[in-house]
Amino acid sequence: MLLSSEIRPENFAPHLRERIRGQLQSTKQYTQGGMHQRRFGGIVSEWDDYLRLFQGAGDEKAVGEGSVCYLWSKSASSAIASHLPHSKIIIVLMDPAARAFAQYQNSVWDGHVHHSFREHLDECFRNPGDTFSVFHPFLEFGMYNKQVARYITDFPRE
């Protein structure tokens, strides 16, 4: 992801890398193909493609985008501040337990997880991991204190 240096194919578990490369390519085709239909999600890796996402905004009073990974990412806050210093940041937090369960349910729905929530948590605690997978950074996404602190440091409160 352009504004989050952690979201790169090489940082994912080997079995997920091809899927991430496909998402990068699909988003690139979308941004360079006119973006005729609205689309949810995608990974943007180049600044020109990122700017294309907003080319039809016109003179709107406010324009923005969001990513659940921006809050968790150690690099996103400073990258956003560097590229877009006048950004207004809105952070919406879920109860950490509800967030974890919702993420688990999504992983079951999309076919990546075939075990119980209890088994999922046990595996997260047993093997925290260092590459992106269904188990990492599963719990870390809900540890908001340091995540929010980065944005408070990088952006004025107003």
Side-chain angles (χ1 to χ4, degrees):
M1 203 171 279
L2 177 69
L3 297 171
S4 174
S5 64
E6 297 88 352
I7 310 298
R8 302 280 183 264
E10 61 271 14
N11 293 337
F12 282 77
H15 70 281
L16 296 174
R17 289 179 188 158
E18 196 56 40
R19 178 178 171 203
I20 298 306
R21 285 186 186 102
Q23 287 182 2
L24 280 162
Q25 184 61 34
S26 172
T27 303
K28 185 166 206 49
Q29 289 171 344
Y30 173 73
T31 60
Q32 294 180 354
M35 300 180 292
H36 299 293
Q37 295 179 336
R38 294 188 81 171
R39 177 178 165 169
F40 179 78
I43 299 175
V44 177
S45 61
E46 297 177 28
W47 186 247
D48 288 341
D49 291 335
Y50 183 79
L51 294 177
R52 280 188 198 97
L53 294 173
F54 304 98
Q55 68 188 8
D59 60 351
E60 301 293 332
K61 184 173 183 172
V63 177
E65 62 100 7
S67 167
V68 296
C69 288
Y70 286 167
L71 181 61
W72 167 83
S73 167
K74 292 179 181 165
S75 64
S77 177
S78 62
I80 295 166
S82 173
H83 287 289
L84 303 160
H86 302 293
S87 295
K88 302 296 183 204
I89 305 299
I90 300 170
I91 297 174
V92 178
L93 303 175
M94 283 180 78
D95 172 272
R99 187 222 54 80
F101 190 67
Q103 182 180 347
Y104 164 79
Q105 287 180 310
N106 189 55
S107 294
V108 169
W109 179 81
D110 68 14
H112 289 102
V113 169
H114 305 282
H115 48 260
S116 72
F117 185 57
R118 172 63 185 258
E119 291 168 319
H120 194 80
L121 291 175
D122 287 346
E123 184 62 25
C124 290
F125 287 118
R126 218 179 0 262
N127 298 305
D130 58 357
T131 59
F132 286 99
S133 71
V134 295
F135 302 110
H136 176 77
F138 183 81
L139 296 172
E140 291 83 352
F141 278 141
M143 297 178 182
Y144 301 133
N145 187 29
K146 290 180 183 176
Q147 298 171 16
V148 172
R150 287 190 286 269
Y151 284 87
I152 291 171
T153 299
D154 290 337
F155 292 91
R157 286 188 185 263
E158 66 277 355

